[in-house]
């Protein structure tokens, strides 16, 4: 997020914020601003405004505040504006980084480029197209992402632009550029003053000597992060005032210290991120008569010498991690009477400036922004103290530079230095809060409101990363950042929209920000982004889907997502996008949309969207674990709707989810939980339950029941409980060793719900329904199974009894047995209550089975059945009324009274049955008998 205009002061409350300048506008802005404000006030006062009647100067001023795309659009409004839109002052600089610039696009712009002086581009394709701009008067070229630019392309560019004074390629490495192309620069650009190249493999002496010979005005050279540079030849460029070899390896510092001090005009030298030692630094500082500033940030060999200090070299400034950067900069200002903490800011505010000092400070800004960004990217150990004490403050100061590139890199540096684990989106909270403490949030949001799209994207990226910290996120929201990010998310520039979506994604983690994002129009902006960049924009799609996933977790916001077309957009991503990151976030968003089945219709809406269920089923087969996990989670939530449940099965969901469960025994607990949960949801249908058993789903669920994760215990136990309702599946569970797994859950799981459902599954298996299935087959086989079943039954009943006893209080039971007072029953209920069990929803067949179990010959099954019915009917439970209604329809009250009065029934069964009867009375569902 970022932007600027020529030395303009904007009032904000009692503060004055100095905004940087537009290099496109050569005239001073002062009276023109007042004139523009008068015109706009006049226009607002009229009901009908004829914008085409504005003065030409005002129109040009308005055009200057727009990005290039909007300028071109407004130029097509009328003939007058078309002519004004071609004004040379609007086209002295051009930033093509956000656009896919090919030969055709460049040719269409060529009519505006006769007076083009400054050009910024990104990538090899744009580099190839530069010559078609026909901008013969180009003086400055700056290129990013230059890894694929070849010698041929660079040679062609410099051959067509002989007036070139500045050429910068970086900060990424120019891997395909060799010394041949640099020699072409020397021969073709005699007016060259500044040359900065990054990542060149080899810069030989002949090439450097050619620069010295043919470019007599060359005063600023930067060979950064290069593998090999001829140190001797660099000493021949006598015109040099500023030199940077930051990050360049294989430097012979003994040669450097004996030669470079002879450069007569060298006043600034940057050796940051190299292996220079204290001896070479001392010799350079002591021997060079012209050298004023030596920048040696992040130089480990130098920093490891505890006795070294640059303070003894009078009139020379050494900038290193162990020096005070701001204090050092202040030492350059001999005539400055007021020296505050931040000389970068004070220097910009000086009314009169020394030209030489101005050149030094301008170069230092660029050097510092580049070095701090590179240091943040490599994230070396041991710099926490530096970042907290001065690094963050320096970056914030550089964000207020008048150099757009410096501002961008400073914002990118802030976005980068706070991240300590990019894979898991972890940031250093101390660094993030240091940025916030020094006013960084307001500065970043100010840049985000600029018209310059390069600054917008970098500022938005910094805000996004910093907002991982909840305190920073709160500050961003309080400073109006949500409205700004929502606005940037509507940008036609994909890079800006992508970073803004990332900011909304991180902010939407906080529950307190979700409503504000929706109110700012963020939901619709994010949905629109998906349609706008449905192809070719994986980064923006992942961030938009991730933000929508967070928002969809909120009930109200989930409805807004659906109303904005979010269901269709997310299903489209799940069906068509090949990026695993996008698939994961789209599936997560659909899962969250489907999670509010009791409060809105989104669950059904997702299931009814064409291709949604098929796409999610297909995603469970992804090679990426995160995609499989979120797809299974979505199917789990969707399976709570009856129609979705059957449609998932028809789409191949049973086979896919069984295969997923079979493959995830060693996967993360999250995937295990969702795989078992999706099978649990599908198995609510008896037909699906039978299909799961037939497809081999029993064995993997038993394996998942043995997981160490509590959440997996619950979902696996729930699925096995549903499967055990079918006698054939119950037998399969026994044959696969499931009794032991369920017994372990019932007796030792940390989760009460897992223990409860394991007990219910065991009760289903041994209430007699499975016995007929066990007797089918040969006599020898049945005999063997009979022995196995008998032992398994004894073990199961023993652990069911132990489980029920854990919810029994002998004193409370005795009191309840001796008294019919409600208080006694309430005391038993509170001890027996399993809070989460109130969320379970049983069918009529399941309720009927527990009612019939009250007449089972095994007394412990009577107690277990009564205990289960108690959980399902406790007033306040989500489905308690539904369960009470089912019990009414099956005449359960009579059976319950019989169980409560049976002389041979265990005390637990009697007391629990009485409580269930009381629950039915409270629901006013019991018929008169």
């Amino acid at each position: 997020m970022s932007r600027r205009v020529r030395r303009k002061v904007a009032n904000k409350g009692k503060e004055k914020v100095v905004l940087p300048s537009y290099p496109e506008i050569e005239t001073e802005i002062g009276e023109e601003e007042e004139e523009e404000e008068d015109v706009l006030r006049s226009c607002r006062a009229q009901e009908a405004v004829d914008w085409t009647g504005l003065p030409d100067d005002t129109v040009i001023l308005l055009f200057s505040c727009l990005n290039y795309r909007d300028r071109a659009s407004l130029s097509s409004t009328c003939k007058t504006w078309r002519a004004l839109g071609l004004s040379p002052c609007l086209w002295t600089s051009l930033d093509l980084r956000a656009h896919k610039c090919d030969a055709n696009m460049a040719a269409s712009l060529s009519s505006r480029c006769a007076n083009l002086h400054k050009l910024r581009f990104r990538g090899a394709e744009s580099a190839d197209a530069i010559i078609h701009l026909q901008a013969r008067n180009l003086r400055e070229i700056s290129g990013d992402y230059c890894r694929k630019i070849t010698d041929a392309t660079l040679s062609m560019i410099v051959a067509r632009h002989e007036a070139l004074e500045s050429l910068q390629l970086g900060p990424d490495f120019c891997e395909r550029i060799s010394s041949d192309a640099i020699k072409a620069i020397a021969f073709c650009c005699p007016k060259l003053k500044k040359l900065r190249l990054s990542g060149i493999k080899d810069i030989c002496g002949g090439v450097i000597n050619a620069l010295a010979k043919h470019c007599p005005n060359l005063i600023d050279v930067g060979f950064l992060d290069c593998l090999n540079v001829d140190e001797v030849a660099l000493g021949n460029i006598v015109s040099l005032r500023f030199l940077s070899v930051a990050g360049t390896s294989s430097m012979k510092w003994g040669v450097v210290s004996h030669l470079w001090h002879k450069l007569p005009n060298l006043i600034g030298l940057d050796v940051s991120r190299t292996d220079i030692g204290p001896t070479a630094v001392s010799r350079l500082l002591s021997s060079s008569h012209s050298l004023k500033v030596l920048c040696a940030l992040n130089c480990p060999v130098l920093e490891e010498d505890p006795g070294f200090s640059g303070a003894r070299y009078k009139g020379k400034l050494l900038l290193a991690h162990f020096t005070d950067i701001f204090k050092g900069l202040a030492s350059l200002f001999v005539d400055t009477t007021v020296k505050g903490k931040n000389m970068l800011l004070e220097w910009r505010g000086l009314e009169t400036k020394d030209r030489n000092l101005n050149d030094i400070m301008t170069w230092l800004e660029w050097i510092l922004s580049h070095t701090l960004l590179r240091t943040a990217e490599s994230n070396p150990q041991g710099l926490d103290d530096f970042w907290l004490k001065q690094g963050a403050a320096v970056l914030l100061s550089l964000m207020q530079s008048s150099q757009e590139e410096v501002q961008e890199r400073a914002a990118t540096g802030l976005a980068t230095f706070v991240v300590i684990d990019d894979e898991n989106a972890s940031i250093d909270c101390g660094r993030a809060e240091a940025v916030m403490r020094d006013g960084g949030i307001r500065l970043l949001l100010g840049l985000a409101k600029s018209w310059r799209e390069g600054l917008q994207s970098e500022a938005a990226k910094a805000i996004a990363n910093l907002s991982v910290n909840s305190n920073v996120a709160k500050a961003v929201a309080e400073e109006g950042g949500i409205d700004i990010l929502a606005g940037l998310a509507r940008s036609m520039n994909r890079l800006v929209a992508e970073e803004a979506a990332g900011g909304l994604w991180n902010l939407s983690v906080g529950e307190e920000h979700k409503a504000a994002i929706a109110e700012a129009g963020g939901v619709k902006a994010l949905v629109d982004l998906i349609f706008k960049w449905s192809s070719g924009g994986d980064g923006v799609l992942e961030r938009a889907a991730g933000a929508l996933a967070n928002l969809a977790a909120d009930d109200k916001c989930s409805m807004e997502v659906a109303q904005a077309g979010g269901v269709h957009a997310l299903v489209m991503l799940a069906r068509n996008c090949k990026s695993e990151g996008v698939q994961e976030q789209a599936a997560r968003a659909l899962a969250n949309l489907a999670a509010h089945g009791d409060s809105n219709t989104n669950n059904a809406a997702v299931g009814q969207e064409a291709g949604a269920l098929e796409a999610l089923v297909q995603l469970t087969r992804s090679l990426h674990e995160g995609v499989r996990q979120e797809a299974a989670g979505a199917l789990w939530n969707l399976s709570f709707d009856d129609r979705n449940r059957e449609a998932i099965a028809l789409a191949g969901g049973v086979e896919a989810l069984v295969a997923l469960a079979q493959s995830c025994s060693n996967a993360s607990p999250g995937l295990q939980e969702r795989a078992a949960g999706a099978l649990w949801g599908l198995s609510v249908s008896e037909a699906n339950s039978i299909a799961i058993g037939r497809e081999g789903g029993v064995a993997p669920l038993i394996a998942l029941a043995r997981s160490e994760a509590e959440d997996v215990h619950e979902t696996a136990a729930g699925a096995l409980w549903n499967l055990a309702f079918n006698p054939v599946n119950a037998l399969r569970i026994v044959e696969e060793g499931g009794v032991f797994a369920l017994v372990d859950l019932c007796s030792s799981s940390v989760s009460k719900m897992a223990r409860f459902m394991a007990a219910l599954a065991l009760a289903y298996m041994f209430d007699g329904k499975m016995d007929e299935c066990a007797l089918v087959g040969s006599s020898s086989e049945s005999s063997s199974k009979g022995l196995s079943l008998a032992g398994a039954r004894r073990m199961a009943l023993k652990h069911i009894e132990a489980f029920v006893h854990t919810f029994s209080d002998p004193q409370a039971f005795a009191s309840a047995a001796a008294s019919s007072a409600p208080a006694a029953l309430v005391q038993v209920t509170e001890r027996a209550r399993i809070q989460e069990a109130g969320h379970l929803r049983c069918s009529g067949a399941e309720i009927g089975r527990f009612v019939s179990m009250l007449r089972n010959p095994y007394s412990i099954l009577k107690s277990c059945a009564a205990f289960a019915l108690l959980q399902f009917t406790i007033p306040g439970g989500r489905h308690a009324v539904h369960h009470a209604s089912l019990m009414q329809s099956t005449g359960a009250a009579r059976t319950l009274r019989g169980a409560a009065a049976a002389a041979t029934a265990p005390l637990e069964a009697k007391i629990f049955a009485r409580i269930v009867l009381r629950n039915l009375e409270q629901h006013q569902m019991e018929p008169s008998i």
Side-chain angles (χ1 to χ4, degrees):
M1 313 178 182
S2 10
R3 2 302 87 193
R4 87 217 89 247
V5 185
R6 181 165 194 149
R7 194 54 55 192
K8 172 181 173 183
V9 178
N11 291 316
K12 291 188 177 181
K14 296 182 179 179
E15 298 182 20
K16 286 188 176 180
V17 180
V18 179
L19 303 176
S21 60
Y22 296 124
E24 292 91 342
I25 301 176
E26 303 297 335
T27 58
E28 292 291 337
I29 298 177
E31 296 179 0
E32 290 93 335
E33 284 183 332
E34 297 178 3
E35 177 185 351
E36 178 191 350
E37 292 178 2
D38 291 340
V39 170
L40 292 176
R41 278 194 294 270
S42 176
C43 290
R44 285 194 294 267
Q46 302 176 29
E47 292 184 2
V49 177
D50 181 9
W51 290 95
T52 61
L54 290 173
D56 291 353
D57 289 347
T58 301
V59 174
I60 291 175
L61 186 61
L62 290 172
F63 272 41
S64 71
C65 298
L66 302 175
N67 59 44
Y68 303 107
R69 182 189 295 104
D70 291 342
R71 290 181 194 178
S73 298
L74 279 182
S75 294
S76 64
T77 304
C78 63
K79 291 182 179 179
T80 302
W81 280 22
R82 179 176 179 82
L84 293 173
L86 294 172
S87 299
C89 67
L90 295 176
W91 298 96
T92 58
S93 72
L94 186 60
D95 187 348
L96 296 175
R97 290 175 300 162
H99 311 282
K100 184 178 181 180
C101 182
D102 54 19
N104 292 331
M105 178 182 175
S108 69
L109 289 170
S110 61
S111 62
R112 298 176 171 88
C113 295
N115 295 299
L116 187 64
H117 291 163
K118 181 177 180 180
L119 174 68
R120 301 187 71 181
F121 71 91
R122 174 170 287 164
E125 185 178 13
S126 294
D128 291 332
I130 286 176
I131 59 173
H132 298 284
L133 291 172
Q134 299 181 18
R136 293 286 185 177
N137 294 316
L138 262 181
R139 297 173 189 169
E140 299 181 41
I141 294 179
S142 177
D144 299 341
Y145 293 92
C146 300
R147 290 181 183 274
K148 295 183 179 180
I149 293 180
T150 63
D151 280 356
T153 297
L154 182 55
S155 298
M156 181 70 74
I157 290 173
V158 297
R160 295 291 185 92
H161 302 97
E162 298 89 348
L164 205 61
E165 297 178 0
S166 173
L167 176 62
Q168 300 184 72
L169 300 178
D172 50 318
F173 296 169
C174 305
E175 297 175 342
R176 299 188 181 183
I177 295 177
S178 71
S179 291
D180 292 339
I182 302 175
K183 187 174 290 187
I185 296 171
F187 290 149
C188 298
C189 304
K191 297 181 179 180
L192 193 67
K193 296 179 179 179
K194 182 188 299 180
L195 178 64
R196 293 170 179 165
L197 303 174
S198 295
I200 308 296
K201 292 181 180 178
D202 182 68
I203 304 177
C204 64
V207 168
I208 297 174
N209 287 331
L211 288 170
K213 179 179 179 180
H214 298 286
C215 304
N217 300 317
L218 189 60
I219 61 172
D220 187 340
V221 168
F223 293 140
L224 306 110
D225 298 292
C226 298
L227 293 181
N228 185 34
V229 178
D230 191 303
E231 307 90 344
V232 175
L234 274 175
N236 296 330
I237 310 180
V238 295
S239 59
L240 275 182
R241 300 183 69 210
F242 302 102
L243 174 61
S244 174
V245 290
T248 293
S249 56
S250 304
M251 298 293 293
K252 300 179 181 65
W253 294 112
V255 175
V256 166
S257 61
H258 281 93
L259 288 178
W260 290 4
H261 73 272
K262 298 177 183 179
L263 287 168
N265 300 302
L266 186 66
I267 58 176
L269 175 61
D270 176 27
V271 295
S272 299
R273 301 182 294 110
T274 66
D275 59 355
I276 193 170
T279 302
V281 170
S282 296
R283 187 171 291 150
L284 286 167
L285 289 173
S286 61
S287 303
S288 175
H289 297 294
S290 60
L291 188 64
K292 293 185 177 295
V293 180
L294 195 155
C295 188
L297 293 168
N298 193 20
C299 295
V301 176
L302 180 66
E303 292 162 4
E304 287 169 4
D305 187 341
F308 180 80
S309 171
R312 65 177 180 268
Y313 302 101
K314 188 175 181 181
K316 306 292 177 72
L317 170 61
L318 173 66
L319 296 180
H321 285 158
F322 53 79
T323 66
D324 187 320
I325 293 176
F326 289 124
K327 185 177 180 180
L329 293 176
S331 68
L332 296 174
F333 294 80
V334 179
D335 298 328
T336 302
T337 55
V338 180
K339 295 182 179 179
K341 178 182 178 182
N342 194 327
M343 282 307 302
L344 284 172
L345 298 181
E346 290 206 14
W347 160 65
R348 297 186 197 112
L350 293 176
E351 294 183 2
T352 58
K353 297 181 180 179
D354 177 85
R355 180 176 177 180
N356 288 330
L357 187 55
N358 191 57
D359 290 343
I360 293 174
M361 294 298 289
T362 301
W363 175 77
L364 274 174
E365 282 192 334
W366 194 93
I367 290 301
L368 287 170
S369 67
H370 186 282
T371 292
L372 291 179
L373 173 56
R374 280 298 196 206
T375 303
E377 289 172 341
S378 61
N379 195 25
Q381 298 294 318
L383 291 186
D384 285 349
D385 193 56
F386 166 76
W387 287 121
L388 292 175
K389 288 186 176 179
Q390 54 181 336
V394 172
L395 286 171
L396 290 173
S397 298
L398 294 173
M399 276 173 46
Q400 300 167 75
S401 169
S402 59
Q403 301 179 73
E404 183 181 356
E405 292 179 47
V406 170
Q407 287 184 301
E408 286 184 19
R409 286 186 182 168
T412 308
L414 287 175
T416 306
F417 96 111
V418 296
V419 179
I420 55 178
D421 184 355
D422 190 49
E423 188 69 24
N424 297 309
S426 299
I427 69 169
D428 187 297
C429 293
R431 297 180 186 181
E433 295 190 11
V435 174
M436 179 176 65
R437 188 168 54 248
D438 289 337
I441 302 306
R442 183 170 295 180
L443 285 172
L444 284 166
L445 291 174
L447 289 181
K449 292 188 287 186
S450 162
W451 69 272
R452 295 184 180 276
E453 293 173 332
L455 289 171
Q456 289 175 353
S457 64
E458 298 308 323
K461 180 190 298 182
I463 292 170
N465 288 356
L466 289 163
S467 294
V468 172
N469 178 277
S470 59
N471 292 329
V472 175
K474 181 180 179 182
V476 169
E478 290 174 348
E479 293 285 349
I482 289 176
D483 286 319
I484 293 172
L485 290 172
L488 292 178
R490 303 182 185 96
S491 173
M492 295 297 292
N493 183 318
R494 181 179 61 80
L495 298 177
V496 174
E498 180 176 325
E499 300 301 346
L504 293 175
W505 186 3
N506 288 342
L507 283 167
S508 62
V509 171
E511 294 298 323
E512 67 274 24
H513 304 313
K514 288 181 169 64
I517 292 173
E519 290 171 5
V523 170
K524 187 176 188 309
L526 291 165
V527 172
D528 289 345
L529 277 182
I530 294 176
F531 292 119
K532 186 186 299 182
W533 305 104
S534 57
S535 60
D538 291 345
V540 68
L541 294 176
E542 180 178 1
R543 287 162 174 76
L548 289 173
N550 288 347
L551 292 168
D554 177 81
D555 185 20
K556 185 177 179 181
C557 288
S558 75
M559 291 188 284
E560 290 208 28
V561 172
Q563 291 166 2
V567 172
H568 180 65
L570 293 164
V571 169
M572 178 182 70
L573 294 183
R575 293 181 63 185
N576 302 328
C577 192
K578 303 303 180 185
S579 165
E580 291 170 340
V582 178
Q583 291 174 344
E584 180 178 358
Q585 296 308 321
R588 186 169 73 91
L590 291 171
N592 287 346
L593 282 173
H596 306 283
D598 292 340
S599 56
N600 62 49
T601 60
N602 288 348
N603 189 305
V606 173
Q608 292 165 13
E609 182 70 27
L613 301 180
E614 291 82 359
L616 290 168
V617 168
Q618 184 61 35
L619 290 181
T620 63
R621 301 185 176 97
S622 170
L623 297 176
H624 188 273
E625 181 172 315
V627 176
R628 297 197 301 273
Q629 175 174 311
E630 299 303 340
L635 292 172
W636 180 12
N637 287 346
L638 288 165
S639 67
F640 285 97
D641 181 88
D642 294 340
R643 289 172 296 179
N644 287 344
R645 189 183 307 125
E646 304 311 319
I648 292 169
L650 289 174
V654 170
E655 297 85 348
L657 289 167
V658 167
L660 180 62
Q662 290 170 337
S663 67
C664 71
S665 58
N666 295 320
S668 67
L671 176 55
Q672 293 179 339
E673 178 197 10
R674 287 162 177 78
L679 288 172
W680 181 12
L682 286 185
S683 64
V684 169
S685 159
E686 187 171 6
N688 288 344
S689 176
I690 293 170
I692 291 169
R694 188 172 57 244
E695 290 294 328
V698 169
L701 285 169
I702 291 172
L704 292 176
R706 296 189 174 100
S707 168
E708 296 181 358
E710 176 182 339
D711 291 339
V712 182
H713 289 175
E714 292 185 5
T715 54
L720 290 170
W721 172 37
N722 282 351
L723 292 178
F725 187 84
N726 177 267
V728 176
N729 282 338
L731 184 58
R732 287 193 179 106
I733 294 172
V734 174
E735 293 173 339
E736 295 289 347
V739 174
F740 296 100
L742 288 168
V743 161
D744 285 342
L745 282 185
C746 186
S747 60
S748 61
S749 176
V750 176
S751 166
K752 287 184 180 180
M753 271 291 286
R755 292 164 58 202
F756 176 53
M757 290 185 291
L760 299 188
L762 291 170
Y764 277 167
M765 292 161 63
F766 296 107
D767 68 349
K769 303 289 185 182
M770 182 180 63
D771 294 353
E772 294 181 8
C773 296
L775 294 175
V776 176
S778 64
S779 58
S780 61
E781 183 181 9
S782 63
S783 174
S784 173
K785 287 181 178 178
L787 290 173
S788 175
L789 285 175
R793 179 180 287 110
R794 285 193 298 272
M795 181 170 60
L797 295 179
K798 174 184 175 183
H799 284 85
I800 293 173
E801 182 176 23
F803 168 74
V804 174
H805 281 168
T806 61
F807 295 90
S808 303
D809 182 345
Q811 184 176 354
F813 269 58
S815 176
S819 170
S820 59
L825 296 180
V826 168
Q827 186 179 0
V828 174
T829 302
E830 288 306 311
R831 178 176 176 84
R833 180 195 293 265
I834 300 176
Q835 197 68 40
E836 298 88 346
H839 298 296
L840 296 175
R841 180 184 175 95
C842 298
S843 66
E846 290 173 304
I847 291 294
R849 188 157 177 178
F850 284 115
V851 171
S852 65
M853 209 180 290
L854 292 171
R855 298 188 291 269
N856 195 281
Y858 292 101
S859 59
I860 185 54
L861 290 182
K862 294 179 182 178
S863 297
C864 182
F867 179 77
L869 292 172
L870 180 154
Q871 304 301 327
F872 301 147
T873 58
I874 291 178
R878 182 183 296 178
H879 304 294
V881 175
H882 165 73
H883 294 146
S885 176
L886 293 176
M887 294 179 71
Q888 176 193 23
S889 64
T890 58
R894 188 184 302 275
T895 305
L896 285 164
R897 286 196 178 95
T904 58
L907 181 60
E908 290 94 337
K910 294 180 180 182
I911 301 301
F912 290 150
R914 285 175 57 190
I915 294 173
V916 175
L917 284 168
R918 180 173 175 274
N919 291 343
L920 294 180
E921 291 173 357
Q922 290 189 9
H923 291 301
Q924 298 181 347
M925 300 297 292
E926 181 185 358
S928 57
I929 300 177

